[in-house]
Amino acid sequence: MGYGDNFQAVLVSNAIREMRRFVAKVDGDTSRDVNTSAYLGDLLVTAYSQFSRNRTFGNMIGKGYSVQSAQLEMNMVAEGYYASACIQEYAEKYAVELPICDAVYQILYQHQPASKIIQALSEKLT
């Protein structure tokens, strides 16, 4: 979508904080370390690896593919698609603010234009 490395760095740093809020609110275990490979490692692979299925899927959505078209063309499962619906459900249930997850959900499940949603998200990130 034309966003550069600086935006990606801001997005990733905000995503880490979002993961911490989510885990603390949903699990109630504030000692859980999101800096492990299951959390931070997966985020970094998704953000930076050209071999990540979730990144490939996201790039396709950003280029204008529909969810169905991206899924068919990839011929692999991007788990993040399904995880985003689950995360959205928990975020609503536990009233936790997750602007990045909410943006992803709006794009993937509510069929909102990615360009509009990411622009609005970029104004919320610090």
Side-chain angles (χ1 to χ4, degrees):
M1 293 179 59
Y3 289 88
D5 293 340
N6 288 336
F7 177 77
Q8 188 172 15
V10 170
L11 183 65
V12 169
S13 64
N14 276 265
I16 293 166
R17 290 193 299 272
E18 205 164 287
M19 285 191 307
R20 284 189 183 117
R21 280 196 310 274
F22 180 81
V23 169
K25 189 77 166 188
V26 172
D27 190 27
D29 183 1
T30 56
S31 67
R32 188 177 289 209
D33 185 6
V34 299
N35 295 324
T36 63
S37 61
Y39 295 98
L40 183 57
D42 195 48
L43 171 64
L44 294 175
V45 166
T46 298
Y48 298 110
S49 174
Q50 64 182 355
F51 302 109
S52 165
R53 292 174 297 198
N54 287 325
R55 180 185 172 110
T56 300
F57 182 75
N59 282 336
M60 293 172 82
I61 297 299
K63 290 178 181 175
Y65 284 70
S66 69
V67 167
Q68 185 178 22
S69 295
Q71 288 172 324
L72 288 171
E73 188 163 319
M74 280 184 60
N75 202 24
M76 294 181 288
V77 175
E79 296 92 351
Y81 171 72
Y82 302 101
S84 64
C86 181
I87 291 167
Q88 185 70 19
E89 182 180 324
Y90 275 89
E92 290 172 5
K93 179 178 178 179
Y94 290 94
V96 58
E97 185 180 346
L98 305 172
I100 297 169
C101 293
D102 187 52
V104 170
Y105 184 82
Q106 288 179 54
I107 294 165
L108 298 179
Y109 287 92
Q110 295 178 336
H111 312 291
Q112 297 297 311
S115 58
K116 174 184 166 191
I117 297 300
I118 298 303
Q119 175 61 42
L121 175 64
S122 71
E123 295 169 8
K124 295 178 184 176
L125 301 179
T126 59

